[in-house]
Amino acid sequence: KIGRESEDMCLLARFFNGFANSTRLSILLLLAQRGDTKVGELVSALGAPQPRVSDHLRCLAWCGYVKVRREGRNAYYSIADDRVLEMLHLGEAMLRDNLEHVEACEVIDNKEGC
């Protein structure tokens, strides 16, 4: 159970930041759809530079969102925990229910200009 200590809240906020970046979120959604996916396929699908995608994948793997499986020179990534999929589904459902409010919100920070 998460307490109300500021340290706990900071860690929980940091956890949710894994979902708060559009590149990381796009990676998670692609992996949720495709399952095991090579880095190069993610780079092509995202149209993002390979170093940026790899940096985000390392972050996601380190924090437990995704796992990597190596096969020869290829690295295949997939969702590491079904709870990540649950979070994505819950987020999509909540967005559908609150779309107008989210679109109009000027308080929640949007640094990436999505």
Side-chain angles (χ1 to χ4, degrees), residues 15-37 42 46 53 56-57 59-61 63-67 77-81 83-89 92:
F15 169 79
F16 279 113
N17 276 336
F19 295 100
N21 174 280
S22 64
T23 301
R24 286 191 299 269
L25 184 58
S26 295
I27 289 169
L28 291 171
L29 291 169
L30 282 167
L31 293 176
Q33 293 170 351
R34 298 179 176 191
D36 273 8
T37 306
L42 292 170
L46 294 169
V53 173
H56 285 297
L57 284 166
C59 170
L60 290 167
C63 292
Y65 298 89
V66 302
K67 61 186 175 186
Y77 285 85
S78 60
I79 299 293
D81 187 315
R83 293 174 293 182
V84 173
L85 297 173
E86 291 175 39
M87 297 281 293
L88 293 171
H89 293 306
E92 289 173 332

Side-chain angles (χ1 to χ4, degrees), residues 5-23:
E5 299 296 320
S6 65
E7 185 177 321
D8 290 345
M9 291 301 104
C10 287
L11 287 173
L12 186 59
R14 185 180 286 179
F15 169 79
F16 279 113
N17 276 336
F19 295 100
N21 174 280
S22 64
T23 301

Side-chain angles (χ1 to χ4, degrees), residues 27 39-40 42-44 47-58:
I27 289 169
V39 176
L42 292 170
V43 168
S44 295
Q50 188 273 330
R52 183 185 318 152
V53 173
S54 292
D55 287 345
H56 285 297
L57 284 166
R58 274 191 294 280

Side-chain angles (χ1 to χ4, degrees), residues 63-113:
C63 292
Y65 298 89
V66 302
K67 61 186 175 186
V68 62
R69 175 180 59 82
R70 300 208 181 270
E71 197 172 285
R73 298 181 72 186
N74 294 312
Y76 294 85
Y77 285 85
S78 60
I79 299 293
D81 187 315
D82 286 342
R83 293 174 293 182
V84 173
L85 297 173
E86 291 175 39
M87 297 281 293
L88 293 171
H89 293 306
L90 283 170
E92 289 173 332
M94 288 192 70
L95 177 60
R96 279 192 304 273
D97 293 347
N98 297 285
L99 185 60
E100 290 177 26
H101 297 278
V102 173
E103 287 177 332
C105 183
E106 295 179 12
V107 177
I108 296 176
D109 195 66
N110 187 8
K111 295 176 186 169
E112 295 188 15

